[in-house]
Amino acid sequence: MRRFIQLTVLLTLLMTILAACGDDAVSSTTAPSSDPNPAPSSNQVIRIASKNFTEQFIVGEMYALLLEQAGYKVERKIGLGATDVAQAAMEKGEIDIYPEYTGTGLLTVLKLPTQTDPKAVYETVKKGYADKYQIAWLDPAPMNNTQALAMTKEGAQKFGIITISDMAAKAGELRMIGPPEFQEREDGLPGIQAKYGNFELKEYVPVDPGLKYKGLVEGNADVVVAFGTDGEIANYGLVVLKDDRNMFPPYQIAPLVRQSVLDTNPKLAEVLNVLAPKLDDATMQQLNFEVSGNNRKYEDVAKEFLTTQGLLK
């Protein structure tokens, strides 16, 4: 009996020691990593989309390349569709990231009144998206793809036009060319007329967006509806009319990320935010023209830019 009791005590002691060793083993695998650049926290595939025009193709591809370099698995949905399509996909959880513009977020998605201070617009959309959609805005680039009006140098000199106020005063002599929807948008022709006086153009020439610059330089119009980072502005040496009454809101580009995805993968912000300071107006105009003017693949242009900037190895 005495030997049985001794054996029982010995077995109990042995089991206690083994349990303690097991606890130590678990602790050693769950301790915080000292790696300053840890791998992604999950095997989740990050779905990156873009809207369906050149600038979005390039920037969306840049996001994908940066995340792949950081070790993330990426699925591309470049050219997914217009703002309403991309926004709906984010809300449904069908995509995780896409590049968006602050002015679009303010007017088109949140449907708030126009503001012109870039910092105030960014803070408004950042809070609005977080509260309403649980979507995070990361850092905005300095570039401003705002709506704009432009003329050839010869045309601007002929009519003596520098500002939109100048254009409004000569409107009866001018033909404007641009996309059909510009005649109806709040930040289009109705908005300009409300801000700069109820002027009437000699003619508005509605065309496919891809044809508007060709129409201007071939003399079919005097003023073109532009975007601030269009590559054709630099290529054709166009004059962008000064918005002297602050009609147009800023359109800075930034990554939108679903908050749940960012919570699971907090390193995403660090990886994508390195791009923002690199994208100013002149840079984006040149990158856009490499695709729209020189017919290069957007994937090649995006990769080349990141490499030359030292962001991609």
Side-chain angles (χ1 to χ4, degrees):
M1 183 63 181
R2 184 177 178 184
R3 291 190 61 185
F4 174 77
I5 293 174
Q6 287 176 334
L7 182 57
T8 300
V9 171
L10 181 61
L11 287 172
T12 302
L13 179 61
L14 181 60
M15 290 177 67
T16 301
I17 293 173
L18 288 174
C21 290
D23 286 343
D24 286 343
V26 171
S27 297
S28 68
T29 59
T30 56
S33 171
S34 60
D35 185 354
N37 294 299
S41 56
S42 78
N43 290 323
Q44 178 181 4
V45 175
I46 307 297
R47 298 160 298 179
I48 297 180
S50 80
K51 292 193 266 188
N52 52 354
F53 53 92
T54 299
E55 184 167 286
Q56 286 271 318
F57 298 161
I58 297 170
V59 176
E61 177 66 16
M62 288 180 183
Y63 292 171
L65 290 170
L66 288 172
L67 290 178
E68 285 176 335
Q69 177 176 252
Y72 290 92
K73 298 176 182 176
V74 170
E75 178 184 350
R76 289 169 173 77
K77 297 190 176 185
I78 304 297
L80 181 67
T83 300
D84 57 340
V85 175
Q87 176 65 23
M90 288 286 277
E91 292 180 36
K92 294 176 183 175
E94 296 172 350
I95 60 173
D96 302 312
I97 297 173
Y98 85 95
E100 186 54 281
Y101 304 92
T102 53
T104 304
L106 183 75
L107 299 179
T108 306
V109 178
L110 295 175
K111 302 187 185 308
L112 295 174
T114 297
Q115 300 181 49
T116 56
D117 179 72
K119 185 176 181 181
V121 171
Y122 176 72
E123 293 300 329
T124 298
V125 296
K126 185 177 182 180
K127 184 176 189 307
Y129 273 66
D131 292 345
K132 191 170 183 179
Y133 302 117
Q134 293 74 56
I135 294 174
W137 282 77
L138 301 186
D139 289 355
M143 57 157 275
N144 183 10
N145 192 14
T146 185
Q147 291 273 13
L149 300 176
M151 302 177 70
T152 62
K153 286 182 181 177
E154 295 78 12
Q157 290 173 354
K158 173 184 174 183
F159 290 99
I161 293 175
I162 299 175
T163 66
I164 297 179
S165 289
D166 296 337
M167 184 216 72
K170 300 283 182 68
E173 305 173 50
L174 301 171
R175 298 161 299 163
M176 184 181 291
I177 191 168
E181 63 269 22
F182 193 73
Q183 299 175 92
E184 301 174 357
R185 288 176 57 133
E186 180 187 350
D187 58 345
L189 194 54
I192 301 174
Q193 289 168 324
K195 191 77 172 183
Y196 284 90
N198 192 25
F199 62 83
E200 291 293 334
L201 292 164
K202 180 179 180 180
E203 183 181 7
Y204 185 88
V205 184
V207 295
D208 182 273
L211 301 175
K212 61 186 182 181
Y213 289 106
K214 184 173 184 289
L216 177 74
V217 298
E218 291 182 350
N220 298 320
D222 308 296
V223 182
V224 67
V225 177
F227 289 103
T229 55
D230 283 349
E232 289 83 354
I233 291 175
N235 185 59
Y236 294 127
L238 302 182
V239 175
V240 177
L241 306 187
K242 183 178 180 182
D243 182 14
D244 52 315
R245 294 188 182 178
N246 297 319
M247 157 70 196
F248 297 115
Y251 283 77
Q252 294 178 278
I253 200 168
L256 294 192
V257 186
R258 290 197 302 117
Q259 188 61 54
S260 60
V261 175
L262 188 58
D263 290 342
T264 307
N265 304 275
K267 192 185 172 188
L268 278 173
E270 176 189 340
V271 173
L272 295 178
N273 281 340
V274 299
L275 179 61
K278 306 290 185 182
L279 299 178
D280 57 22
D281 284 357
T283 299
M284 205 67 239
Q285 287 175 2
Q286 183 59 45
L287 294 175
N288 285 336
F289 193 74
E290 288 297 318
V291 177
S292 63
N294 292 330
N295 299 315
R296 296 182 61 196
K297 293 181 179 179
Y298 70 83
E299 298 97 325
D300 295 340
V301 172
K303 186 174 183 179
E304 179 181 270
F305 176 75
L306 294 179
T307 303
T308 58
Q309 294 296 313
L311 301 181
L312 195 68
K313 297 178 182 176

